[in-house]
Amino acid sequence: MCSSDLPKGSLILLQGGGDQGVCEGDSSDVGPVFRQESYFHWAFGVLEPDYFGAIDVDTGRSILYQPRLAEDYAIIMGHISTGEEVRERYRVDEVRYVDELPDHLKTVKGSTVPTLLLLEGPNTDSGKTARPAAFDGMSEFATNSALLHTEMAELRVFKTEMEQEALRYANKISSEAHMHVMRTMEAGMMEYQAEATFLHHTYFYGGARHVCYTCIAGAGASGAVLHYGHAGAPNNQPIKEGDMCLFDFGAEYYCFCSDITCSWPISGKFTEKQKIIYNAVLRANRAVFSALKPGVSYRDMHLLANRVSLEDLTAAGILTGSVDEMMAVNLYGRLFHPHGLGHFIGNDVHDVGGYLAGHPERDTQPGLRSLRTARTIQAGMVLTIEPGCYFIDFLIDRALADPELNRFVVAERLNEYRGSGGVRIEDDVIVHEAGAELMSIVPRTVEDIESWMSGDDSFLNKKH
């Protein structure tokens, strides 16, 4: 933000999330557990609902406006925090009540009535728009909704040392929970029992009340459903002997997210067919991890993962022909990998900043159009690396009927994998000047997975 663009006497004003105790349009008086709006949490760290926050652009002075709660609140909901307690908890300069906000804002800049910089703009990933602050009396202030969003989104792309520590912890408890799930699940159990096991472990041992997204607990054919686990497919299928499990779970700790996917056989032993697909995806994952550093294009990392997987599928006889020609027609994205390689992660699991102005625009090709950022990598970014390989009947049928693609497909070999689901290997990484740091520490090689699932603890003593 250029200082010349700033209106004189600017104040940033953000509005936190509202109490969801009563669901709009619903007769129920029970709502979801409150989770703070991400931009507000990023700026102030506040965990409670119905707050406003202001920052003086000239001085950096911060002010929180807390809701004025009725005395009876204390009877049912507990202690009502004083302004001093709120100030100390969130380390702001001043705390006032929300009902004081219009009059108090007029005094913050002395005799100058400030211009309020409001947060309004699209999340290029979700398509949702950040809600600008609103209060009774706002019409008495000049407002500007054009400047703040791009600046705040860009700042959230780069994580401070303290933020990186919080993300490491979220990854630690999620990794441990994934490993616990590996050891406790057996054929005959239900997919939702894996979800329940993960949720219990991260909350009981890690203090993580929330997860960052709906748990994806896909076994067998369910593993080919990219966002399995939603209301229409709620992790409700039995896990059968011989199934590959694809479990995509991520704990959230104080609004800091993790996003880890582990794929492994319920039997504890990979078949030769399962090894082919798993190792192709693992090699793609590790190729990207080794190449990820400041200056590389994340779009190029996506294409690198596709190329590595195509090489392995060709070597296994599932595909035939020139890998260069396969890349030219985007075979992998059109048949095996309809999502992007990864995304930013932070206070949202799909964090903001992927396609801001001044950075590469979204591609239109299958797979690449789902890539959540195509930016040039810089130190301080935190991203996921999540290549996959899925056997989706719709995509298989379409590829076999398409002369541009079917010339590369060995149909008999490909059809052997119908109904088997898929493999995704997803890690969270911090980019440093010299390369990437792996935060999600779980067994990844075939040997380590089989050893861990057999009860061998030697993985815990490995250097990672």
Side-chain angles (χ1 to χ4, degrees):
M1 186 185 300
C2 297
S3 58
S4 60
D5 295 333
L6 278 171
K8 185 178 180 181
S10 294
L11 282 181
I12 293 169
L13 182 68
L14 302 178
Q15 183 174 1
D19 187 357
Q20 299 171 302
V22 179
C23 298
E24 185 176 348
D26 187 345
S27 61
S28 172
D29 65 348
V30 178
V33 176
F34 176 73
R35 197 271 191 190
Q36 186 59 268
E37 193 277 328
S38 293
Y39 276 103
F40 195 81
H41 185 270
W42 178 84
F44 294 104
V46 172
L47 298 173
E48 298 91 347
D50 300 321
Y51 273 67
F52 285 77
I55 301 171
D56 186 333
V57 175
D58 294 326
T59 66
R61 182 175 174 79
S62 56
I63 309 160
L64 280 175
Y65 298 90
Q66 67 179 119
R68 193 186 295 273
L69 301 171
E71 288 184 352
D72 285 354
Y73 179 97
I75 300 172
I76 300 174
M77 305 296 282
H79 173 69
I80 299 174
S81 297
T82 66
E84 181 57 28
E85 288 170 335
V86 172
R87 189 188 68 79
E88 177 62 24
R89 183 183 309 141
Y90 297 120
R91 304 298 176 91
V92 292
D93 295 299
E94 187 176 359
V95 176
R96 296 281 183 148
Y97 287 105
V98 171
D99 55 30
E100 299 177 285
L101 187 149
D103 292 335
H104 183 257
L105 283 177
K106 294 174 184 176
T107 71
V108 173
K109 303 295 289 184
S111 60
T112 302
V113 177
T115 296
L116 303 181
L117 304 183
L118 306 180
L119 182 71
E120 184 174 17
N123 181 329
T124 56
D125 186 81
S126 68
K128 296 179 180 179
T129 299
R131 180 186 65 172
F135 61 90
D136 290 339
M138 181 175 275
S139 60
E140 300 176 37
F141 297 84
T143 61
N144 184 307
S145 299
L147 295 176
L148 188 59
H149 178 263
T150 298
E151 296 296 325
M152 287 192 72
E154 181 67 12
L155 287 171
R156 281 181 58 185
V157 169
F158 300 93
K159 274 56 177 183
T160 65
E161 287 294 332
M162 291 182 67
E163 288 176 307
Q164 291 175 25
E165 278 302 302
L167 291 165
R168 289 186 186 102
Y169 179 76
N171 268 265
K172 176 179 182 293
I173 58 178
S174 290
S175 296
E176 291 170 353
H178 268 285
M179 292 171 68
H180 182 65
V181 171
M182 283 184 188
R183 280 206 171 161
T184 54
M185 295 303 295
E186 298 175 354
M189 290 183 171
M190 301 296 289
E191 292 166 334
Y192 58 72
Q193 290 179 283
E195 176 182 9
T197 300
F198 179 87
L199 294 175
H200 174 265
H201 200 280
T202 54
Y203 197 2
F204 190 87
Y205 293 103
R209 192 176 201 184
H210 295 274
V211 284
C212 312
Y213 51 92
T214 303
C215 289
I216 299 169
S222 303
V225 182
L226 300 185
H227 280 181
Y228 188 67
H230 59 83
N235 298 329
N236 63 353
Q237 297 301 302
I239 304 174
K240 301 184 292 295
E241 190 64 46
D243 277 352
M244 277 291 289
C245 297
L246 188 160
F247 292 163
D248 187 341
F249 306 144
E252 176 181 297
Y253 188 75
Y254 284 86
C255 294
F256 285 92
C257 296
S258 60
D259 188 0
I260 302 171
T261 308
C262 295
S263 300
W264 40 271
I266 192 64
S267 67
K269 289 286 186 181
F270 286 82
T271 66
E272 291 305 311
K273 284 174 58 179
Q274 289 170 343
K275 285 181 185 178
I276 289 169
I277 306 306
Y278 185 85
N279 283 329
V281 177
L282 179 61
R283 197 164 77 87
N285 174 290
R286 292 310 189 231
V288 172
F289 178 73
S290 297
L292 196 65
K293 61 183 179 181
V296 304
S297 159
Y298 205 60
R299 181 183 184 277
D300 288 347
M301 295 297 95
H302 177 99
L303 295 175
L304 170 64
N306 285 4
R307 177 177 289 276
V308 169
S309 295
L310 286 172
E311 290 170 352
D312 281 20
L313 297 184
T314 302
I318 298 169
L319 301 175
T320 184
S322 163
V323 171
D324 286 342
E325 292 179 13
M326 296 177 198
M327 290 292 294
V329 298
N330 192 23
L331 173 67
Y332 201 70
R334 293 164 68 181
L335 175 53
F336 298 108
H337 191 240
H339 65 79
L341 173 67
H343 50 82
F344 291 131
I345 186 167
N347 288 144
D348 288 309
V349 65
H350 298 149
D351 217 4
V352 297
Y355 289 100
L356 295 176
H359 297 286
E361 297 182 357
R362 189 184 297 272
D363 205 308
T364 59
Q365 299 180 70
L368 280 163
R369 65 181 171 223
S370 299
L371 186 59
R372 298 180 190 271
T373 186
R375 289 178 61 151
T376 299
I377 298 302
Q378 295 176 257
M381 291 179 170
V382 180
L383 305 102
T384 67
I385 302 172
E386 50 179 302
C389 183
Y390 312 92
F391 298 95
I392 302 169
D393 283 341
F394 172 74
L395 294 183
I396 293 172
D397 292 340
R398 189 159 70 178
L400 291 176
D402 185 342
E404 189 174 46
L405 302 183
N406 64 21
R407 61 195 174 102
F408 300 111
V409 177
V410 181
E412 181 181 356
R413 291 282 286 123
L414 178 61
N415 284 329
E416 291 176 6
Y417 285 91
R418 284 185 185 265
S420 64
V423 169
R424 179 162 65 251
I425 301 175
E426 181 176 17
D427 292 312
D428 299 351
V429 301
I430 303 172
V431 180
H432 301 294
E433 290 294 347
E437 170 193 343
L438 181 66
M439 291 191 289
S440 35
I441 307 299
V442 292
R444 284 304 193 199
T445 66
V446 166
E447 295 74 22
D448 280 345
I449 290 171
E450 291 182 346
S451 176
W452 174 255
M453 293 182 70
S454 74
D456 184 345
D457 289 345
S458 58
F459 174 78
L460 298 175
N461 300 318
K462 282 190 171 185
K463 184 178 180 181
H464 302 290

